[in-house]
Amino acid sequence: MCALWLGAAAPAAAQSYPKGVVRWIVPFPPGGPTDVVGRIVSQQLQELWGQPVVVENKPGAGTMIGTDAVAKSAPDGHTIGMVITAHMINPTLRAASMPYDTLKDLAHVTQMVTQHLVLVAHPGAPFNSIQEMIGYAKAHPGKLAYASPGTGTSAHLAGELLKNEAGIDMVHVPYKGSSPALVDLVAGRVQLMVDVYHSARPLVDGRKLKVIALTSERRPANISGYPLLAESIPGFNVASFFGLVVRAGTPRAIVDKIYADTARVLNKPDVKARLESMGLEVVGSTPEQFESFVRAELTKWAKVIRANNITAD
């Protein structure tokens, strides 16, 4: 009888969800891409649910402060957290300071969008393709320098993964953010950088940078005309993403409702068009698909971090 009652209670809980305010945790300050996407989607969910969905910005510790707030919330779906690629990097990079267990303390709801990355170079770099770049790096070990927004960022680890997979030696030059890194790349002080395609595109269109390859394993629907790194290095796949998590133990019916309603608003024509104008590709994956993706990425980045002895700043 207890089992039957619990089985009936789960759908009933989902039907009445949400009851009252939903906290939407963004692990960054206001105004950045994660915050903007969060406000777009949370506003749509607020209208759909008829209940307040309040954005709370909790930046710091490589997104761990915000995610920890979700991990320690009530398991009722009324606290939803946004996560990015750092979510799969932190468990290895910041293992000593992790205040939660990524897989045990959180339920993965959906990957909302993908943000495609691109390997760009200074126009004067003596190569125009990934094969030419690899050949140059092998002929001049340690002479190529690649910039990143900081040690342990996805852009940094993408560069280290490229080094490992291509068997080349490059020098990592970390900066405090993408903007100063791009300034030095345009000035020719460094030769390469992995960056968000949408951010780099104005510099590419202005011929201040040139594209070597996209880092996604498959060709994005909204980006054409560039080669893929995977065409020269089979299996190479690096992209950024925005996803949602809730506290582990949240009833599965509520997790499914958050996923289904999020996918519904992501695919509204006006919302999808707005996100695509920001260079984002709508995904809306199921909880199972997102969980599988997170586990695979955890394994991939753990290998890169350990193989290259990377430590957090």
Side-chain angles (χ1 to χ4, degrees):
M1 288 181 64
C2 182
L4 288 171
W5 181 85
L6 288 172
Q15 289 172 8
S16 62
Y17 172 88
K19 289 183 178 179
V21 176
V22 175
R23 301 168 66 207
W24 184 281
I25 308 296
V26 176
F28 289 98
T34 312
D35 181 67
V36 171
V37 171
R39 290 177 188 276
I40 292 171
V41 177
S42 63
Q43 178 62 37
Q44 291 290 323
L45 288 173
Q46 177 172 282
E47 294 175 9
L48 179 63
W49 290 338
Q51 297 288 342
V53 181
V54 180
V55 174
E56 296 182 20
N57 297 91
K58 291 184 175 293
T63 74
M64 291 194 304
I65 290 176
T67 307
D68 189 44
V70 182
K72 290 178 171 56
S73 66
D76 58 9
H78 284 76
T79 300
I80 301 172
M82 291 186 69
V83 292
I84 63 166
T85 307
H87 182 63
M88 287 89 80
I89 293 172
N90 286 333
T92 304
L93 184 69
R94 305 174 187 272
S97 58
M98 283 285 290
Y100 55 87
D101 187 297
T102 302
L103 296 176
K104 293 181 179 178
D105 296 336
L106 298 163
H108 293 87
V109 179
T110 184
Q111 179 185 345
M112 295 192 294
V113 297
T114 291
Q115 191 174 41
H116 293 286
L117 307 179
V118 64
L119 179 65
V120 287
H122 184 269
F127 45 79
N128 294 300
S129 69
I130 187 62
Q131 288 294 351
E132 290 179 359
M133 188 277 287
I134 292 172
Y136 180 86
K138 288 184 174 180
H140 304 85
K143 297 296 183 182
L144 273 181
Y146 77 95
S148 84
T151 300
T153 59
S154 58
H156 170 210
L157 297 189
E160 295 300 300
L161 181 62
L162 175 58
K163 285 170 54 178
N164 295 348
E165 295 295 312
I168 58 177
D169 180 21
M170 298 190 296
V171 177
H172 173 228
V173 183
Y175 290 80
K176 293 182 178 180
S178 293
S179 294
L182 285 169
V183 168
D184 271 11
L185 180 60
V186 169
R189 299 184 184 94
V190 289
Q191 292 79 45
L192 289 165
M193 181 176 174
V194 174
D195 194 26
V196 174
Y197 171 75
H198 191 65
S199 298
R201 182 177 175 180
L203 295 171
V204 173
D205 291 346
R207 300 183 183 276
K208 294 182 179 180
L209 294 177
K210 61 183 177 183
V211 172
I212 301 301
L214 294 167
T215 65
S216 305
E217 189 174 25
R218 61 173 181 78
R219 192 166 303 284
N222 56 345
I223 305 173
S224 61
Y226 300 117
L228 304 177
L229 269 173
E231 293 169 347
S232 298
I233 306 175
F236 195 97
N237 183 31
V238 178
S240 184
F241 80 98
F242 300 152
L244 298 180
V245 295
V246 293
R247 170 73 183 270
T250 299
R252 180 53 195 259
I254 290 178
V255 172
D256 285 343
K257 179 172 175 56
I258 297 170
Y259 146 66
D261 289 347
T262 300
R264 176 179 171 184
V265 301
L266 286 170
N267 283 286
K268 290 177 62 176
D270 57 332
V271 174
K272 188 173 184 180
R274 187 173 178 188
L275 294 173
E276 288 177 347
S277 74
M278 298 167 60
L280 302 169
E281 183 178 7
V282 169
V283 178
S285 62
T286 66
E288 290 83 4
Q289 290 169 332
F290 190 31
E291 174 85 7
S292 177
F293 171 73
V294 168
R295 287 180 179 274
E297 292 287 294
L298 282 167
T299 300
K300 177 172 73 177
W301 294 127
K303 289 179 180 178
V304 173
I305 291 165
R306 290 167 182 155
N308 296 281
N309 298 313
I310 299 169
T311 57
D313 289 338

